[in-house]
Each structure stands twice: as C-alpha cells, then as structure tokens.
Amino acid sequence: MATITGPLAGDARSTVAEALQGALVDLIDLSLVAKQAHWNLVGAHFRPIHRQLDKVTELARKHMDILAERSVALGINPDGRSATVARNTKLPQPDGGWLEDGKVVATITETLDGISKRMYERIRLTDEPDPVTQDLLIAVAREIDKQHWMFQAQR
C-alpha cells in the first residue's frame, strides 16, 4: 500500500492536523445544518433565507474539499465520516420539524459566529508551522465572516 508523506513532522504536523480536522468537522456539519434548515424553513422571509442557506452550504462544501485535500497533501488522513462528525461537532443542532425563519436566522448566526472564532484560533496556531494551511483557513474565515454578517443583518 502506498503512503503519502508531507513536509511537516512532529509538533508542527500534529498542530496542523488538528486544525485541519477541526475545520473539516465544522464545515461538514455546517453543510448539514444549513441543508436541514433549508429544507424545513417556513415564514414570511422564506425565499431570501432559503437562498442564503444554499450559499452557506456551497461555501462549506467547497472549503471542506480544499481542506481535506490539503490534509492529504501533508500526509494526514482527513476523517469526514458521519460518526466522527457527530462525535466531534461543536455546532448547535437545529430542532426537528418546521423551522421558523427568525429562529433559523438566529441559529445560523450563532453557528457561524462559533465557526469564525474557531477558525481564527486555527489561523493563529498554523502561522508558524504551515503558512499554506493558514492561508486556506484565512480564506474560509473570510467567507464565514461574510455569511455571519449577512445573517446577523437579518435579525
């Protein structure tokens, strides 16, 4: 069996692996939470929120793939299995059933805020060991912060 190796070793590799895996879990679950809200949304502001949730899902899916492939390029196995995501997620989960538009806006705003804070911590931690990974995390944070602003403005 072939083995993928990368340029990082020791503590640098462990730090970057943890940052990438944490970001991957955040983004996978964000895509699931956003779709769950998208499918079950009701209320007077259904249409614009419905569309905005699609944008959140798209950004999460795009960046989860980029970060997972960065992990592989570094010789780190990304773990996007549902059990891993369920066990490690820090995202608040939406209620079951129909979701009122105002509650969705509040939940997604809170969710994006938490992801943003964790991304900034990961950016700080990867500064020294891997500026390439840091750059990818900065790109995620930029888009998460934009979506956070857009949802926050609807409250």
Side-chain angles (χ1 to χ4, degrees):
M1 172 172 30
T3 300
I4 308 296
T5 60
L8 303 178
D11 289 343
R13 185 177 193 278
S14 296
T15 297
V16 172
E18 187 176 324
L20 286 167
Q21 182 61 38
L24 183 62
V25 167
D26 273 350
L27 293 173
I28 291 170
D29 203 23
L30 176 60
S31 73
L32 298 172
V33 166
K35 269 302 178 187
Q36 182 68 18
H38 172 90
W39 295 324
N40 291 287
L41 179 67
V42 294
H45 302 287
F46 167 84
R47 188 72 171 156
I49 296 168
H50 186 78
R51 287 182 171 174
Q52 197 66 31
L53 288 165
D54 270 341
K55 291 182 187 299
V56 170
T57 303
E58 288 170 24
L59 90 80
R61 288 177 178 167
K62 173 181 125 182
H63 287 287
M64 76 171 83
D65 192 52
I66 291 168
L67 295 181
E69 289 178 354
R70 177 65 183 160
S71 291
V72 174
L74 295 173
I76 300 163
N77 295 110
D79 189 350
R81 297 174 296 170
S82 59
T84 300
V85 174
R87 185 175 52 251
N88 295 306
T89 189
K90 294 181 175 29
L91 276 61
Q93 299 299 300
D95 295 332
W98 303 119
L99 301 171
E100 186 267 324
D101 54 6
K103 188 169 184 178
V104 167
V105 168
T107 300
I108 297 296
T109 300
E110 175 188 348
T111 299
L112 293 169
D113 182 58
I115 292 172
S116 176
K117 288 175 179 163
R118 288 188 295 281
M119 286 299 167
Y120 278 87
E121 180 62 15
R122 294 173 185 127
I123 289 165
R124 187 186 66 73
L125 291 170
T126 55
D127 177 43
E128 182 67 31
D130 188 19
V132 175
T133 294
Q134 183 191 47
D135 186 53
L136 297 176
L137 294 170
I138 288 168
V140 175
R142 181 181 59 244
E143 290 195 46
I144 292 292
D145 289 350
K146 180 179 179 182
Q147 290 303 318
H148 179 253
W149 150 57
M150 292 181 146
F151 273 93
Q152 197 173 31
Q154 296 180 68
R155 294 189 348 172

